[in-house]
């Protein structure tokens, strides 16, 4: 396994960004890429320092990339710049230029705030990603503000108060019917009620949606424990396409 931590200049954000890349030792001529979206308070090295994802993708055709976007909530805003545009457009192109693999499939995994980012990417590109997963996703901004009051100021810098996102109440029928979405949340997570409400809603119309609830809280111990299952399901999606 090769792990690269680097910096590259983003034209969209007008600054250098730090990224982390994970590359199994033996890769074929075609690979699948997983974009890893960190949570609030995280950075490009969160998956490197807090998970064993390198163990889960070793021996597969996956490579993975994460990038530092701060507490931007993966939104285009005056406070952080056009982060959603950067993550969805410039960052993949940047990684392809620096690490020129032949990419066959794209996948995304987001944790907490990154789970909100996953849904925004699926909204923007409903047919782009072969598979997607969100762990303990931030779905209702008021839930976060009520649990961690100091986040109200940063949320206000990104979103207008009257427009704080609530994805439980949003119309998500724009998601493509071929969208494969895995959703995990721990039973003791402070966001579990939002996840349950979201599952009841989206599960009624999205055929390739899976929701898993197990013991766990809003922390890396729980998230790392779910990554193996997610990577395995992503592998199955690739195998079904190849058969």
């Amino acid at each position: 396994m090769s792990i690269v931590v680097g910096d590259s200049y983003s034209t969209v954000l007008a600054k250098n960004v730090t990224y982390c890349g994970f590359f199994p030792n033996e890769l074929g001529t075609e690979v699948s890429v997983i974009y890893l979206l960190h949570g609030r308070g995280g950075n490009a090295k969160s998956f490197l320092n807090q998970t064993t994802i390198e163990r889960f993708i070793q021996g597969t055709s996956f490579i993975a990339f994460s990038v530092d976007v701060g507490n931007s909530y993966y939104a285009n805003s005056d406070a952080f710049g056009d982060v959603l545009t950067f993550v969805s457009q410039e960052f993949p192109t940047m990684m392809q230029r620096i690490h020129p693999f032949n990419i066959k499939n794209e996948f995304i995994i987001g944790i907490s705030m990154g789970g909100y980012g996953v849904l925004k990417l699926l909204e923007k590109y409903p047919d782009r990603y072969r598979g997607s997963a969100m762990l303990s996703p931030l779905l209702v901004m008021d839930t976060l503000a009520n649990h961690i009051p100091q986040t109200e100021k940063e949320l206000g810098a990104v979103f207008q108060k009257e427009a704080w996102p609530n994805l439980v109440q949003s119309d998500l029928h724009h998601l493509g019917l071929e969208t494969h979405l895995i959703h995990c949340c721990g039973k003791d997570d402070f966001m579990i009620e939002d996840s349950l409400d979201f599952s009841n809603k989206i599960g009624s119309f999205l055929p390739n949606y899976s929701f898993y609830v197990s013991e766990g809280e809003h922390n890396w111990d729980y998230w790392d424990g779910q990554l193996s299952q997610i990577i395995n399901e992503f592998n199955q999606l690739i195998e079904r396409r190849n058969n």
Side-chain angles (χ1 to χ4, degrees):
M1 172 67 64
S2 298
I3 298 173
V4 175
V5 178
D7 293 282
S8 187
Y9 185 78
S10 164
T11 302
V12 171
L13 300 179
K15 66 176 184 177
N16 279 328
V17 294
T18 300
Y19 73 91
C20 188
F22 301 84
F23 309 95
N25 292 332
E26 296 182 6
L27 289 168
T29 57
E30 293 183 333
V31 302
S32 296
V33 62
I34 303 173
Y35 300 107
L36 305 168
L37 309 186
H38 69 75
R40 176 185 175 272
N43 56 45
K45 294 189 285 186
S46 293
F47 286 87
L48 171 62
N49 294 333
Q50 303 288 349
T51 78
T52 52
I53 190 166
E54 67 273 12
R55 179 165 59 91
F56 302 140
I57 66 173
Q58 184 63 40
T60 72
S61 63
F62 288 113
I63 61 175
F65 295 111
S66 58
V67 65
D68 189 351
V69 298
N71 293 345
S72 65
Y73 297 85
Y74 296 90
N76 291 340
S77 69
D78 293 339
F80 287 88
D82 291 342
V83 174
L84 185 64
T85 301
F86 165 72
V87 171
S88 64
Q89 298 179 24
E90 187 182 22
F91 182 60
T93 301
M94 179 190 297
M95 293 298 96
Q96 183 71 39
R97 184 184 72 249
I98 299 172
H99 306 284
F101 289 92
N102 183 9
I103 295 174
K104 187 175 182 179
N105 301 289
E106 292 181 290
F107 295 82
I108 42 175
I109 298 174
I111 289 180
S112 192
M113 181 187 80
Y116 174 77
V118 165
L119 289 173
K120 299 309 291 182
L121 288 172
L122 292 178
E123 177 182 9
K124 190 174 181 68
Y125 301 102
D127 302 313
R128 172 175 170 178
Y129 300 99
R130 186 72 188 92
S132 55
M134 52 187 192
L135 295 89
S136 308
L138 172 59
L139 301 168
V140 181
M141 299 298 162
D142 281 325
T143 299
L144 177 63
N146 290 336
H147 187 78
I148 309 176
Q150 59 265 38
T151 61
E152 186 166 345
K153 184 175 181 180
E154 65 188 40
L155 287 168
V158 176
F159 307 105
Q160 297 297 316
K161 171 59 180 176
E162 62 271 15
W164 280 15
N166 182 329
L167 296 183
V168 173
Q169 296 179 359
S170 298
D171 183 2
L172 297 168
H173 283 80
H174 55 267
L175 296 179
L177 292 180
E178 295 302 313
T179 299
H180 285 80
L181 176 60
I182 301 168
H183 177 185
C184 306
C185 194
K187 291 180 180 179
D188 296 317
D189 194 306
F190 72 94
M191 296 181 180
I192 183 62
E193 294 301 324
D194 293 341
S195 278
L196 290 169
D197 290 342
F198 180 88
S199 174
N200 289 333
K201 176 180 179 179
I202 199 170
S204 66
F205 68 85
L206 196 64
N208 299 309
Y209 168 76
S210 302
F211 181 47
Y212 302 108
V213 177
S214 56
E215 297 296 332
E217 301 180 27
H218 199 86
N219 58 35
W220 285 103
D221 286 340
Y222 171 74
W223 300 328
D224 188 42
Q226 303 305 305
L227 284 174
S228 177
Q229 176 181 335
I230 290 169
I231 300 300
N232 184 55
E233 291 197 30
F234 284 177
N235 256 324
Q236 292 175 15
L237 288 174
I238 294 174
E239 290 172 0
R240 287 201 294 270
R241 169 169 280 186
N242 292 337
N243 292 335

